[in-house]
């Protein structure tokens, strides 16, 4: 692993192993795009099959959705700032921004769970219609990714506290950063093609 | 790749503010105008693509590192497959059964 060390590069790119890990993660993200594409495809086919149940306009709470969107957008920004601080070799700044990112992520998740509970309370469950089945599967898969991301980032923060900034912890931090930004990219499309589209139709 | 130690994350701030602006413009077009459904979808779909590109280039730096070419081609291919899956599914399921 110590072979091919290039200290002129940022810490997370310095070893051959790290460069391969980062490239590998980009390939994983390519597969994630396809995973979400299948769910968007299902949703795009079924989004008007209300089966006599509630429609978009009946249930969607646009104000809450806007707040969720801003929380996630801001968390993507603070995650970017965390990596920025990492490149300046500022461990304290890195951990601080990571924790802020996590808090925003938890806020998003809390609001999303509340939103789902509200829908279920209104009688809009996964079993109600094809629209709602595809809706909950798409949104739920994204929410699950956010949940996994929060758990993962907590583990990374613990490692950073224990080991400080090394080529290995820097690479791990960089990769969770990519993952977190990717979740925001997916959300942009959910916001546009599920929520906004639903309110227009 | 930027090796200088910049004091202020100007790229991130610009990316964040543009993202917010794009989000509000899209919401405004969808919720506050009375354009046709087709026009609105075209506009907000375009804005979503711009915002996704913003995240990919300004936050994720997809075009940096020694493997930048592989990364960009891989993500571009993922997006092509995504478009085929989504557009293909909707096309087949909406119009396929007429024939």
């Amino acid at each position: 692993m110590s072979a091919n060390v290039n200290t002129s590069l940022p810490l997370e790119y310095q070893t051959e192993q790290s460069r391969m890990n980062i490239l590998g993660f980009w390939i994983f993200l390519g597969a994630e795009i396809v995973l979400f594409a299948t769910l968007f495809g299902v949703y795009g086919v079924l989004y008007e099959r209300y089966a006599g149940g509630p429609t978009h306009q009946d249930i969607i709470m646009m104000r809450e959705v806007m707040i969720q969107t801003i929380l996630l957008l801001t968390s993507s920004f603070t995650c970017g700032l965390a990596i920025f601080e990492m490149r300046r070799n500022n461990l304290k700044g890195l951990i601080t921004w990571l924790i802020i990112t996590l808090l925003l992520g938890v806020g998003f998740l809390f609001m999303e769970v509340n939103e789902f509970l509200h829908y279920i309370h209104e009688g809009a469950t996964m079993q109600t219609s094809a629209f709602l089945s595809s809706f909950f599967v798409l949104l739920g898969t994204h929410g699950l990714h956010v949940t996994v991301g929060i758990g993962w980032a907590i583990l990374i923060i613990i490692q950073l506290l224990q080991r400080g900034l090394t080529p290995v912890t820097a690479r791990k931090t960089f990769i969770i950063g990519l993952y977190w930004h990717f979740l925001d990219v997916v959300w942009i499309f959910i916001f546009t093609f599920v929520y906004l589209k639903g309110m227009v139709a | 790749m930027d090796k200088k130690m910049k004091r202020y994350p100007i790229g991130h701030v610009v990316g964040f503010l543009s993202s917010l602006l794009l989000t509000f413009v899209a919401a405004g077009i969808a919720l506050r105008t009375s354009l046709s459904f087709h026009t609105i979808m075209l506009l907000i779909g375009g804005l979503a693509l711009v915002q996704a590109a913003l995240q990919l280039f300004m936050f994720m730096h997809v075009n940096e590192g020694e493997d930048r070419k592989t990364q960009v081609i891989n993500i571009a291919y993922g997006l092509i497959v995504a478009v085929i899956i989504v557009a293909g599914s909707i096309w087949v399921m909406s119009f396929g059964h007429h024939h």
Side-chain angles (χ1 to χ4, degrees):
Chain A
M1 246 179 79
S2 54
N4 287 318
V5 176
N6 183 348
T7 48
S8 71
L9 294 173
L11 204 53
E12 69 272 17
Y13 282 109
Q14 282 185 6
T15 69
E16 178 78 30
Q17 176 73 45
S18 289
R19 292 194 288 273
M20 296 302 274
N21 279 118
I22 290 168
L23 174 62
F25 197 77
W26 275 107
I27 293 171
F28 168 73
L29 288 184
E32 288 276 280
I33 291 176
V34 176
L35 164 69
F36 279 101
T38 62
L39 300 177
F40 273 105
V42 170
Y43 178 81
V45 168
L46 299 175
Y47 84 103
E48 281 180 317
R49 309 288 167 91
Y50 299 122
T55 66
H56 295 83
Q57 270 105 343
D58 291 335
I59 57 168
I60 288 177
M61 303 177 292
M62 212 50 219
R63 201 176 66 92
E64 274 77 358
V65 172
M66 283 306 287
I67 297 171
Q68 287 177 32
T69 305
I70 292 165
L71 282 177
L72 210 59
L73 261 180
T74 311
S75 83
S76 189
F77 171 57
T78 57
C79 180
L81 293 182
I83 302 299
F84 179 82
E85 290 301 333
M86 182 172 88
R87 293 226 167 135
R88 294 171 66 195
N89 221 3
N90 178 359
L91 180 63
K92 218 176 135 191
L94 163 61
I95 292 176
T96 309
W97 284 117
L98 273 184
I99 289 171
I100 292 171
T101 304
L102 276 187
L103 291 177
L104 290 165
V106 169
F108 167 84
L109 207 59
F110 178 78
M111 289 199 68
E112 184 165 57
V113 169
N114 267 331
E115 185 195 342
F116 284 6
L117 289 176
H118 173 81
Y119 293 158
I120 291 165
H121 192 71
E122 301 265 298
T125 71
M126 265 188 111
Q127 287 85 13
T128 309
S129 63
F131 150 56
L132 284 163
S133 303
S134 57
F135 174 88
F136 278 117
V137 171
L138 174 57
L139 276 275
T141 305
H142 178 268
L144 182 68
H145 275 76
V146 175
T147 313
V148 169
I150 290 170
W152 182 4
I154 290 171
L155 296 176
I156 299 291
I157 290 172
I158 293 171
Q159 284 201 0
L160 282 169
L161 288 170
Q162 286 175 339
R163 302 179 197 173
L165 266 179
T166 69
V168 174
T169 55
R171 175 244 295 166
K172 288 181 178 178
T173 312
F174 184 74
I175 287 177
I176 178 79
L178 288 181
Y179 181 79
W180 197 265
H181 292 309
F182 175 75
L183 296 185
D184 191 54
V185 174
V186 174
W187 182 260
I188 294 166
F189 289 100
I190 290 178
F191 176 70
T192 304
F193 291 105
V194 175
Y195 289 111
L196 290 184
K197 185 184 181 189
M199 295 310 278
V200 174
Chain B
M1 201 173 306
D2 199 343
K3 281 166 222 145
K4 283 174 294 183
M5 297 290 171
K6 283 182 289 187
R7 286 235 149 257
Y8 188 70
I10 186 72
H12 287 96
V13 174
V14 171
F16 176 55
L17 293 178
S18 328
S19 297
L20 279 180
L21 184 71
L22 288 165
T23 301
F24 284 117
V25 170
I29 291 173
L31 307 174
R32 295 277 150 82
T33 68
S34 47
L35 297 166
S36 76
F37 178 72
H38 193 75
T39 314
I40 289 178
M41 286 318 294
L42 220 60
L43 287 173
I44 64 177
L47 290 174
L49 283 178
V50 172
Q51 205 180 331
L54 215 70
Q55 291 274 333
L56 271 171
F57 287 98
M58 299 193 80
F59 287 175
M60 297 170 79
H61 307 284
V62 62
N63 60 341
E64 76 166 27
E66 65 172 20
D67 297 312
R68 63 178 77 83
K69 249 190 210 158
T70 319
Q71 287 172 188
V72 171
I73 291 171
N74 177 65
I75 293 301
Y77 181 62
L79 290 173
I80 290 168
V81 176
V83 168
I84 293 171
I85 290 171
V86 175
S89 301
I90 294 171
W91 178 65
V92 166
M93 295 307 287
S94 311
F95 309 109
H97 56 256
H98 292 318
H99 301 287

